[in-house]
Amino acid sequence: MDKTGKFKIKNAKQFSKINNPEDILKITLMDCHLNNVDRNSENYNLLFQTEQQRFYAIDHAALFGGPALKSRFVPKGEPSLGQKLLGSYLLRNTLKYITLENIQKTLESYFAQCNSILGTEIDKVFSMLPESWEISENLKERVLAYSLDETRLNLLELLLSNNLYEIKKKI
């Protein structure tokens, strides 16, 4: 951490000691994809376990626009890249040590996995939710539609690819 309390990767040697630095990029992709409005440049919602030198994403309560949008959640909503980890110092600092080729591979891998496993994982999560939570009607179907819409995913992948390229070019 630097004097301001921000996690800073000082050099390639320190970067190489972190067990999962690419996860910062993966978390950024997930947050943009699933519209996590809470994890951003002011609130990383990440734990860094110093002994294992590993990042952990926490607090996913604001996915799909957060609790305020749960009943108004629109599956066909356009991707939103603003106010996310995408604009953070942490991501920029991490991308310094990841090649553009590896950034692109991570992006392509993320979206390939969306198509192959995300639907199954969403089904699993919804099957574990207790009835007492009173999940709004058709929420699972709306989440699946939002998460797996091919047009939206293609647009999001293009937007993220362009944004990550621009970030990398500036650092």
Side-chain angles (χ1 to χ4, degrees):
M1 298 252 192
D2 69 9
K3 292 177 185 175
T4 67
K6 292 189 178 191
F7 186 88
K8 182 172 182 169
I9 302 168
K10 296 176 186 169
N11 52 47
K13 182 178 179 182
Q14 183 187 17
F15 179 82
S16 69
K17 289 180 181 179
I18 299 171
N19 283 321
N20 64 335
E22 291 85 3
D23 283 1
I24 299 301
L25 175 56
K26 292 174 187 176
I27 292 164
T28 300
L29 298 175
M30 180 194 74
D31 285 349
C32 291
H33 175 205
L34 301 180
N35 195 22
N36 186 349
V37 296
D38 192 30
R39 191 179 348 266
N40 56 58
S41 60
E42 298 298 318
N43 182 23
Y44 293 166
N45 277 334
L46 298 170
L47 294 178
F48 183 72
Q49 206 286 332
T50 53
E51 188 176 300
Q52 295 178 11
Q53 293 288 295
R54 184 170 198 85
F55 286 101
Y56 294 92
I58 60 168
D59 190 4
H60 303 292
L63 290 175
F64 308 109
L69 294 180
K70 75 176 186 176
S71 61
R72 297 180 289 139
F73 174 66
V74 179
K76 294 290 183 179
E78 288 192 23
S80 169
L81 302 184
Q83 299 299 315
K84 305 239 182 338
L85 207 54
L86 186 64
S88 73
Y89 170 81
L90 179 61
L91 180 66
R92 286 190 313 274
N93 189 241
T94 302
L95 292 181
K96 280 188 216 175
Y97 304 100
I98 303 174
T99 66
L100 194 53
E101 180 182 347
N102 283 343
I103 291 169
Q104 194 62 39
K105 282 181 185 178
T106 300
L107 183 68
E108 290 168 4
S109 173
Y110 176 85
F111 284 97
Q113 288 179 11
C114 285
N115 292 327
S116 66
I117 64 171
L118 190 57
T120 302
E121 294 303 313
I122 290 171
D123 283 338
K124 285 181 194 176
V125 168
F126 273 88
S127 72
M128 295 186 291
L129 299 177
E131 286 185 32
S132 63
W133 283 17
E134 299 179 7
I135 302 298
S136 57
E137 191 175 330
N138 300 322
L139 180 61
K140 177 179 148 186
E141 289 76 18
R142 291 184 294 155
V143 167
L144 284 165
Y146 181 87
S147 304
L148 299 173
D149 180 75
E150 188 175 341
T151 302
R152 187 176 177 284
L153 285 173
N154 289 339
L155 176 58
L156 183 60
E157 185 173 5
L158 178 65
L159 290 170
L160 284 166
S161 180
N162 290 341
N163 272 266
L164 292 167
Y165 174 78
E166 289 300 318
I167 292 168
K168 183 71 177 166
K169 192 169 77 171
K170 290 178 183 175
I171 50 179

